[in-house]
Amino acid sequence: MKVKMEVDIGGLKLQNPVLTASGTFGSGQEYLPFIDLNRLGGVVVKGLTLLPKAGNPPPRLIETPSGLLNAIGLQNPGVDYFIENILPELTSYQTKFIVNISGNTPEEYGVLAQKLSVPGVAALEVNISCPNVKAGGLVFGTDPDLVAEVISVVKGHTNLPVIAKLSPNVTDIQEIARAAEEAGADAISLINTLLGMAIDVETRKPVLGNIVGGLSGPAIKPIALRMVWQVAQAVKIPIIGMGGIVSAQDALEFILAGANAIAIGTGNFINPRVTMEVIAGLEEYCQKTKTEDISHLVGLANPLKMR
Ligand SMILES: Cc1cc2nc3c(=O)[nH]c(=O)nc-3n(C[C@H](O)[C@H](O)[C@H](O)COP(=O)(O)O)c2cc1C
């Protein structure tokens, strides 16, 4: 039986629902020795900012039980360098490239969206887990009004599908998701990393140069799954679920909770072929359960999912 694996995420058409998560996969080419990029549903490129960023002082990464703490600090070469030097190399692949953007102000997000509305970019993922310099460093993603402002500015500067990437570091994820939807987001992705830290008992100091960092990997999967479940009950737009996915079974849990597509981040560090294995595993599950279209599984475990 031929299984339909294609999905439409708010106008972003993917050949299958498996993406890579921003910041864990470079721009995709770094993984060429391990996988066939053309088989991926899509690649979400490392977060870009208007100007190049050197990132945080080291150490920037530390392993925790079943997880990874990172404080990279959005190190990247800047949007202009990406457009001139990296994007042209990506156009030869069949997969879709989604660009993740981070701004210091709503206006910066607008400029980034405009600059990136060029051939080769399939959609924009708006990372709202960034401090708003104009609002005293308040993280955009923690305030529904700021989320709405950023998303509407981005929508006003592009015709590409706009994906709002939510931060899990909030009390009410449904309120934030609704704000993004009402402001015109075409899809929602979640979750970004959870704020955490580690302390070295020898030096008696925090391990990370930045003191705090973002926790990712299998340790956060139950939280991510719960949030996808809740957001699926709050919005009608498609959802890209992520957080700790390392197997087809994990991916299926997110789909059954209400995700239309999934992304794999830290899992790539454990097994660089994980995306290929998850695509094959999802297809196999559909065949075994006589599911003709993978989208028929979306939200099956979530009776209150908005349709
Ligand atoms: C090293 C690293 C860098 C990341 N950089 C970004 C980034 O630039 N922009 C972003 O929106 N999310 C970034 N993330 C968050 C991931 O895209 C993803 O949301 C999170 O890690 C949860 O998925 P996972 O458990 O599969 O890694 C980063 C995560 C890691 C581990």
Side-chain angles (χ1 to χ4, degrees):
M1 187 183 80
K2 172 108 181 76
V3 178
K4 180 171 181 277
M5 293 290 280
E6 293 86 8
V7 293
D8 185 333
I9 306 297
L12 167 68
K13 293 190 169 42
L14 304 175
Q15 60 184 346
N16 66 62
V18 179
L19 299 154
T20 58
S22 177
T24 65
F25 209 73
S27 54
Q29 290 172 310
E30 292 82 347
Y31 280 78
L32 281 175
F34 309 105
I35 65 163
D36 179 3
L37 276 188
N38 295 320
R39 286 201 62 209
L40 280 172
V43 171
V44 185
V45 172
K46 167 74 189 155
L48 291 175
T49 50
L50 208 47
L51 300 175
K53 265 188 97 147
N56 287 327
R60 294 170 164 192
L61 286 174
I62 177 171
E63 224 177 304
T64 62
S66 298
L68 178 70
L69 262 177
N70 93 81
I72 305 294
L74 291 175
Q75 180 188 355
N76 79 95
V79 67
D80 293 332
Y81 182 91
F82 173 81
I83 293 170
E84 277 158 40
N85 301 288
I86 301 175
L87 189 60
E89 291 179 18
L90 305 180
T91 49
S92 60
Y93 299 101
Q94 269 161 38
T95 191
K96 298 284 170 72
F97 289 90
I98 297 115
V99 178
N100 178 282
I101 55 173
S102 295
N104 290 316
T105 60
E107 294 73 31
E108 268 191 37
Y109 280 97
V111 178
L112 282 160
Q114 194 158 15
K115 281 179 183 265
L116 286 160
S117 298
V118 290
V121 178
L124 298 175
E125 184 181 61
V126 186
N127 177 9
I128 50 175
S129 301
C130 310
N132 181 355
V133 171
K134 279 195 188 156
L138 181 70
V139 174
F140 288 103
T142 60
D143 180 307
D145 293 338
L146 283 178
V147 170
E149 188 182 350
V150 170
I151 297 300
S152 29
V153 170
V154 170
K155 282 294 289 180
H157 285 80
T158 186
N159 289 320
L160 292 172
V162 171
I163 305 161
K165 179 159 182 187
L166 307 192
S167 164
N169 302 309
V170 296
T171 313
D172 185 350
I173 195 77
Q174 291 184 319
E175 181 189 29
I176 304 286
R178 274 190 217 105
E181 182 180 48
E182 279 161 23
D186 299 289
I188 279 177
S189 61
L190 77 163
I191 62 174
N192 210 317
T193 53
L194 285 145
L195 209 52
M197 72 178 296
I199 290 175
D200 182 334
V201 295
E202 301 299 329
T203 62
R204 299 181 173 176
K205 288 190 176 127
V207 176
L208 293 170
N210 188 52
I211 302 177
V212 293
L215 184 65
S216 63
I220 71 169
K221 197 191 89 179
I223 300 170
L225 195 61
R226 182 264 295 175
M227 287 192 158
V228 166
W229 167 278
Q230 289 179 318
V231 168
Q233 296 180 355
V235 299
K236 284 200 168 117
I237 50 178
I239 296 172
I240 302 171
M242 74 195 85
I245 298 176
V246 297
S247 68
Q249 185 174 320
D250 292 336
L252 280 162
E253 287 185 45
F254 278 81
I255 293 169
L256 293 169
N260 304 76
I262 59 97
I264 303 178
T266 305
N268 293 294
F269 300 155
I270 305 165
N271 169 11
R273 288 191 47 77
V274 64
T275 46
M276 301 292 106
E277 293 171 14
V278 169
I279 294 167
L282 289 178
E283 239 174 322
E284 212 174 285
Y285 176 88
C286 287
Q287 271 168 349
K288 203 176 68 190
T289 57
K290 303 206 174 4
T291 307
E292 284 171 14
D293 181 342
I294 188 144
S295 297
H296 293 168
L297 299 174
V298 175
L300 283 188
N302 194 348
L304 296 182
K305 176 179 159 39
M306 298 266 275
R307 310 269 164 196

